[in-house]
Each structure stands twice: as C-alpha cells, then as structure tokens.
Amino acid sequence: MSEFQRLPTENIERVLCVAAHPDDNEYGTSAAVHQWVAAGAEVHYLQLTAGEAGMADAPDVVGPLRLKEQQDACREVGVSHLEVLDYPDGAVEYSLALRKDIARYVRQFKPNLVVIGPYDVEAYGSLNQADHRAASLATLDAVRDADNDWCFRELFEEENLPKWHVNAILVTSSDRPTHFVELTAADVDAAVASLNCHKAYLAHVTGHPKPEDFIPPMLAEQGKATGVENALMFRVYDMGGLRREEESESE
C-alpha cells in the first residue's frame, strides 16, 4: 500500500492556481488541471507577472508574446480564466500588497483548492527562483488572510468581499509530498500539449528538453511511487475542508 493518500475529489468545484510566471503551471500541474476540468471543476490561473524578463528580447515585446502563449496553454487544459497582475518579472517581493491582491482574488473566485509551487530555497533539483518563493509564500498567507474578517478589512468594507474559506492548499514539486492525483493518459497528453504552447520561451532556453521527452516519464515516476500508472504528487495543507469531506464519507 502506498504511503501517500489519494486526494479526495468530491466537492471540488473551483480550483485556483497561483504562479509567478507564464509556463510555471505547465511543468506537471496542468495534468491535474486537465483532470479537474474534465470532472466539471472551474479552474482559474492567477499569474503575478507577464514573464517579460524571461527572454532576451525587450520586455515590451516579450510580455505580450508570453501572454499569448499562456492563453494557448490554458485552452489546452480547459482553464476558464487567466488573470495577470502587474508585478515586475524577476523582482516579485513578499509584501502585504501582494498578500492583499491574492486574498482579494481568493474572495472573488471562492476556490475550494489553491495550488502553488514550492517555496523552498532549493527546488526542482537546483536553487528555486526568487519570484517562485515570494509568490508561494505570499499565497500561503493570503489564503488565511482571505478567511479572516480582520485582515484587509477594506476588502469587505469598501469592496464588499466577505471572507472565504479554502479547503486545502496543494504544493507541487515538494520534496515532502503527502497526496497524489491519479492521471489518465489524456491528462498526461494535455500537460505535454500545454507546455508545447510556450514555443518561443522553450526555443529561448538553451538545451531545454522537449516536453514529450520529460513530462510523461516524470508523471510515470510519480505514479510508480503512489502505486498507479501516472500521478501528480502534492504536499497538502488541509485547512479543514478535506477532513470534513472524509468524515462525511465514513458516516
């Protein structure tokens, strides 16, 4: 029996994926997104930057190009909405302003699950990029801010956004995973297709492997660890919602 728990799928109506850059969700997360959408969930991407500093060309050229590629990637997995904030690529800082912007979106969209990347200094087999760390740490706190009447009171008093409780936060690419989502072959194919939408960016990165050469083996490896053919693993922070679902199933 696997030491990892299967992520409960009941009552997943809305999922919010928060990332710093275009393409961040395409390195595996989009496979689970494809499955959630196929099961009837609404998935939104909240992207903090336009990715304008990620290529050699001028930012005013790169930003719109990467936006178009990200929109194409969203369509491959059925993401219904892409929201791009105006934080500077390469210079995202953890701040109250960032927490407030994310908490605002959580209250607006009312997700059951929030998905983020790793916030550790080391990740993906190397040093984690600064924007990734700031985005994920700010989101961890913003989820709790969104559920607190007294944090950012102006969100309710001036914007009429009452607090919202998120059931769980899912961290991808964690070195301490706890749960997994079993994936179909269609989910894996969709993940490959979504990353392939970032044609200009992938061409810019010297030596970047083809998505079809590394995403399927990566998801198969995680499947082997969890006892299924293909899987995506997460570290899950249960905010109370998952436990309530499991308790209701056992009654």
Side-chain angles (χ1 to χ4, degrees), residues 5-12 167 179 238 240-251:
Q5 300 179 59
R6 187 182 298 269
L7 184 75
T9 57
E10 294 76 12
N11 302 320
I12 299 178
N167 288 348
H179 290 68
D238 187 350
L242 294 184
R243 286 194 295 272
R244 285 196 294 272
E245 290 175 9
E246 291 167 353
E247 290 168 0
S248 66
E249 290 173 4
S250 64
E251 291 175 356

Side-chain angles (χ1 to χ4, degrees), residues 66-86:
R66 300 201 71 191
L67 173 61
K68 173 62 167 57
E69 293 188 338
Q70 185 60 60
Q71 290 169 334
D72 292 342
C74 287
R75 280 191 287 272
E76 288 289 345
V77 294
V79 170
S80 59
H81 186 79
L82 169 66
E83 182 79 10
V84 182
L85 303 183
D86 60 355

Side-chain angles (χ1 to χ4, degrees), residues 49-71:
T49 81
E52 71 278 5
M55 295 170 59
D57 291 329
D60 61 344
V61 173
V62 172
L65 172 61
R66 300 201 71 191
L67 173 61
K68 173 62 167 57
E69 293 188 338
Q70 185 60 60
Q71 290 169 334

Side-chain angles (χ1 to χ4, degrees), residues 165-195:
H165 179 79
V166 170
N167 288 348
I169 302 171
L170 280 54
V171 185
T172 65
S173 302
S174 171
D175 60 359
R176 296 174 295 156
T178 57
H179 290 68
F180 69 95
V181 171
E182 184 176 0
L183 302 171
T184 67
D187 299 328
V188 176
D189 290 344
V192 170
S194 68
L195 183 53

Side-chain angles (χ1 to χ4, degrees), residues 86-165:
D86 60 355
Y87 285 87
D89 185 16
V92 178
E93 295 181 296
Y94 178 99
S95 66
L96 287 175
L98 179 56
R99 280 169 52 183
K100 181 179 177 181
D101 282 342
I102 299 170
R104 174 186 290 110
Y105 200 88
V106 169
R107 291 189 181 194
Q108 290 172 332
F109 179 45
K110 301 179 175 62
N112 309 114
L113 304 179
V114 171
V115 183
I116 61 175
Y119 43 80
D120 307 280
V121 172
E122 295 184 21
Y124 312 110
S126 184
L127 293 176
N128 198 5
Q129 201 264 354
D131 288 356
H132 297 163
R133 302 197 307 267
S136 294
L137 283 173
T139 303
L140 286 175
D141 291 333
V143 165
R144 289 174 290 184
D145 297 335
D147 195 28
N148 189 325
D149 283 321
W150 309 115
C151 286
F152 306 125
R153 293 172 62 176
E154 61 272 24
L155 290 179
F156 176 69
E157 294 172 353
E158 299 175 13
E159 302 182 37
N160 195 31
L161 293 172
K163 68 179 182 180
W164 177 255
H165 179 79

